[in-house]
Amino acid sequence: MTPSLARVRQALLGWVYPPACAACDRPLDAARQLERPFLCEPCEATLVPVGELYCTVCGQGFDGVSSLAFRCANCGDRELAIDFAVSAWRGAGAGSGLIHRFKYGKERHLARLLGILLDEVWRDERLREGGPWWVAPVPLHPRRRRERGFNQSHELARELVRRAPAGIELRLRPLLRRVRATVRQARLDRRERLVNLAGAYAPARRLPETPPGGARILLVDDVITTGTTVSECAAVLREHFDIDRIAAVSVLRG
Ligand SMILES: [Zn+2]
Ligand SMILES: [Zn+2]
């Protein structure tokens, strides 16, 4: 988007949503709005990056120094159907509040800010390798989507595609649908999550052909906690495509 178009769009958005920080409601000036829509500097400073050191499978961040590739205790003893997951930020500071307002406060416009925060996942070289990715949002059950008015993962996937870094080809492909409503995962432990999700996802009614060399699929979710949700989605997709690579990205690591 050209700077002037961005300004026009910002002016229109500012008219609908007065420019204030979504985390603390502090008013934002126009320049700040363009740079980081809906987030003030002090709140941005509370975001905690996942950092350099994280599990090569589920993306769980660790403090400390190590140059070794490793798996964390969360996923070392189980098989996930994804090749790897990368989260942009830890679920601390202003991050959790922003996601909460986005989803439960139905503040759809926050997708723009969260899309910018999601850019952080491109630090992972594995996402930059190879041909185009199909970007597949984690689906929401139709009933919940109606309540909320949108699927948060779909909004984020759209932003990810729109903001694709130069040289990286992304295509939005809603490959999955949610066929069974379940209890919110956030209330459950790891074992309960697995049982809760069994049979929850199915392939979309119309699927593209597997491209030559196998499908490269990038699942998108707002928060990845144990990786169970994205793994269930990946397992369904593996039944329908020859997979070259299947990864997952999220704004927050829960
Ligand atoms: Zn703030
Ligand atoms: Zn792990």
Side-chain angles (χ1 to χ4, degrees):
M1 202 180 328
T2 64
S4 60
L5 258 181
R7 234 167 256 128
V8 169
R9 185 171 171 180
Q10 198 50 58
L12 290 172
L13 269 172
W15 182 66
V16 183
Y17 307 103
C21 173
C24 71
D25 293 316
R26 197 187 312 243
L28 298 176
D29 63 34
R32 178 65 191 172
Q33 263 292 96
L34 273 178
E35 199 185 318
R36 283 280 183 275
F38 312 112
L39 188 63
C40 74
E41 270 177 285
C43 287
E44 184 175 8
T46 70
L47 294 174
V48 185
V50 168
E52 290 295 307
L53 185 63
Y54 51 92
C55 173
T56 52
V57 182
C58 74
Q60 169 80 60
F62 286 91
D63 299 316
V65 189
S66 166
S67 55
L68 296 174
F70 70 99
R71 282 181 85 142
C72 73
N74 161 49
C75 64
D77 61 346
R78 62 184 179 141
E79 278 308 311
L80 290 173
I82 50 165
D83 291 314
F84 63 91
V86 182
S87 300
W89 305 87
R90 298 195 194 191
S96 320
L98 291 172
I99 291 285
H100 198 272
R101 282 179 75 153
F102 180 45
K103 280 161 76 167
Y104 306 118
K106 304 176 185 180
E107 297 193 35
R108 190 177 191 160
H109 60 281
L110 291 183
R112 282 185 61 226
L113 168 62
L114 295 168
I116 292 171
L117 298 182
L118 190 55
D119 284 348
E120 197 57 32
V121 300
W122 297 111
R123 72 180 184 275
D124 194 300
E125 286 296 319
R126 296 171 296 178
L127 293 174
R128 297 174 160 275
E129 295 161 357
W133 290 99
W134 283 348
V135 175
V138 168
L140 205 58
H141 191 272
R143 196 173 58 222
R144 192 158 292 162
R145 195 180 56 227
R146 272 197 303 277
E147 284 166 14
R148 189 168 296 166
F150 60 95
N151 171 5
Q152 71 275 4
S153 301
H154 196 108
E155 299 297 308
L156 293 171
R158 212 200 314 260
E159 289 296 320
L160 189 76
V161 171
R162 197 169 68 80
R163 303 180 53 81
I168 296 178
E169 207 182 320
L170 303 178
R171 295 170 193 160
L172 187 60
R173 291 273 188 278
L175 300 172
L176 291 160
R177 60 202 166 97
R178 182 96 183 215
V179 288
R180 200 163 63 74
T182 53
V183 179
R184 278 199 185 112
Q185 287 288 93
R187 297 184 189 146
L188 307 173
D189 70 21
R190 200 179 94 179
R191 233 190 67 78
E192 290 169 333
R193 283 174 193 230
L194 274 173
V195 176
N196 186 42
L197 280 183
Y201 300 104
R205 288 202 175 78
R206 289 169 58 191
L207 291 177
E209 295 281 311
T210 299
R216 293 166 51 80
I217 300 174
L218 196 52
L219 290 159
V220 180
D221 208 352
D222 52 339
V223 183
I224 291 176
T225 303
T226 61
T228 306
T229 300
V230 287
S231 181
E232 279 296 315
C233 289
V236 170
L237 293 172
R238 282 183 187 278
E239 285 175 26
H240 293 271
F241 296 105
D242 291 326
I243 301 284
D244 172 41
R245 184 168 265 201
I246 186 159
V249 293
S250 69
V251 179
L252 294 188
R253 170 73 209 205

